[in-house]
Amino acid sequence: MRRVTRAVWRADGVSNGERAVPEETPVALTYNGTTHAVMMASPVDIEAFALGFSLSEGIISTPADILSLDVIAVEDGIEARMWIAEEKMAVLGARRRYLAGPTGCGLCGVESLAEAIKPAAQVTSRPVFAATTLLEAMALLGPAQALNHETRAVHAAGYFEPGRGLLAVAEDVGRHNALDKLVGKVARLDAEPAKGLLLLTSRVSIEMVQKAAVLGVPVIAAVSAPTSLAIRTADKAGITLAAVVRSDGFDLFTHPERIDLGASPRQAHVA
């Protein structure tokens, strides 16, 4: 973040002061010396971003597929320089997908409509979560958003496992970037995504569901609402989608069998 000067207008007058705002930096993701994507992102957790992006995009299958990863500050931004096996690079080159991603861009550079709406990976795990667990998990995410506390201008994604708590949080000016960073962080944890929850502070679009499916989480819990295409994609992928999660409840859109609705938060409090 950076602190900048500002003038503040209110009904009772004008004052001067400072405000914390998030940095936004071009981040080039390169493979074997070739730039594949340039995304505008918060310049933090870049290694996790590079790993998570590579997994989400299907460029690699496991973290071990990246032979080396260096984060280099350059004059115009940051480069995440990765080297992958030649067979992986050959597949990547054949896709001819070069991206220039503005903030919040999740499908920039996709060359066909079919590629944009390709089916998400199937999630088959069937854990059951108490409804109140979603509320408790989301309540933990807010205090963990250090950058957002300072700026009130970034998105967050979190990973929660019952019995273990909130294991990872990622923040970024772009919601897709935040989720990619989280995917990268979780990939390096002793975690079991098939038993966990994905927490989002943003709206849920198709790309977010596709990334969640790559992560392998059976449940998405989001503060904001989903798009209709996200709902259809989650349904087909076997993912439980809960949105508009607040302290007093949430909306459940797909695969409700994973959520034990039981007593409402208000009923549980009264009891």
Side-chain angles (χ1 to χ4, degrees), residues 5-10 12-18:
T5 59
R6 60 169 180 172
V8 182
W9 180 88
R10 297 290 185 267
D12 58 354
V14 178
S15 62
N16 296 314
E18 290 187 339

Side-chain angles (χ1 to χ4, degrees), residues 9-249:
W9 180 88
R10 297 290 185 267
D12 58 354
V14 178
S15 62
N16 296 314
E18 290 187 339
R19 180 181 179 87
V21 296
E23 287 282 6
E24 185 177 20
T25 303
V27 177
L29 301 166
T30 71
Y31 300 88
N32 297 16
T34 300
T35 298
H36 175 68
V38 178
M39 308 296 285
M40 299 303 298
S42 299
V44 64
D45 293 330
I46 300 301
E47 285 193 14
F49 179 39
L51 173 57
F53 178 91
S54 302
L55 289 166
S56 296
E57 290 291 307
I59 296 168
I60 62 172
S61 301
T62 70
D65 289 334
I66 296 181
L67 306 180
S68 69
L69 168 57
D70 297 303
V71 176
I72 309 296
V74 295
E75 182 177 357
D76 296 325
I78 296 172
E79 289 187 8
R81 299 175 182 172
M82 291 168 278
W83 287 88
I84 58 178
E86 286 303 323
E87 58 268 23
K88 295 285 185 181
M89 190 63 199
V91 173
L92 179 60
R95 287 169 57 183
R96 296 185 302 109
R97 182 177 177 184
Y98 294 90
L99 314 179
T103 301
C105 184
L107 291 173
C108 305
V110 172
E111 295 179 350
S112 73
L113 296 176
E115 178 70 13
I117 60 172
K118 63 183 179 182
Q122 289 293 303
V123 177
T124 58
S125 60
R126 288 289 180 267
V128 176
F129 303 87
T132 52
T133 297
L134 274 63
L135 309 186
E136 293 163 0
M138 192 63 76
L140 294 174
L141 183 60
Q145 296 174 51
L147 183 57
N148 196 54
H149 281 305
E150 294 287 345
T151 65
R152 301 297 178 186
V154 297
H155 297 288
Y159 173 73
F160 177 92
E161 274 188 24
R164 301 181 70 189
L166 188 63
L167 299 184
V169 176
E171 296 181 278
D172 199 275
V173 289
R175 58 196 173 96
H176 306 93
N177 298 342
L179 182 47
D180 279 335
K181 288 178 178 180
L182 184 77
V183 170
K185 287 187 173 186
V186 174
R188 289 177 168 170
L189 290 176
D190 175 24
E192 296 183 78
K195 298 180 179 179
L197 301 172
L198 171 62
L199 309 173
L200 301 174
T201 63
S202 62
R203 68 181 175 88
V204 186
S205 55
I206 180 176
E207 316 96 285
M208 306 296 274
V209 174
Q210 291 168 337
K211 292 175 188 293
V214 171
L215 181 58
V217 288
V219 177
I220 299 172
V223 170
S224 193
T227 67
S228 60
L229 183 55
I231 293 171
R232 295 196 297 273
T233 304
D235 187 43
K236 291 179 180 178
I239 294 174
T240 300
L241 176 56
V244 198
V245 180
R246 301 288 187 267
S247 60
D248 61 347

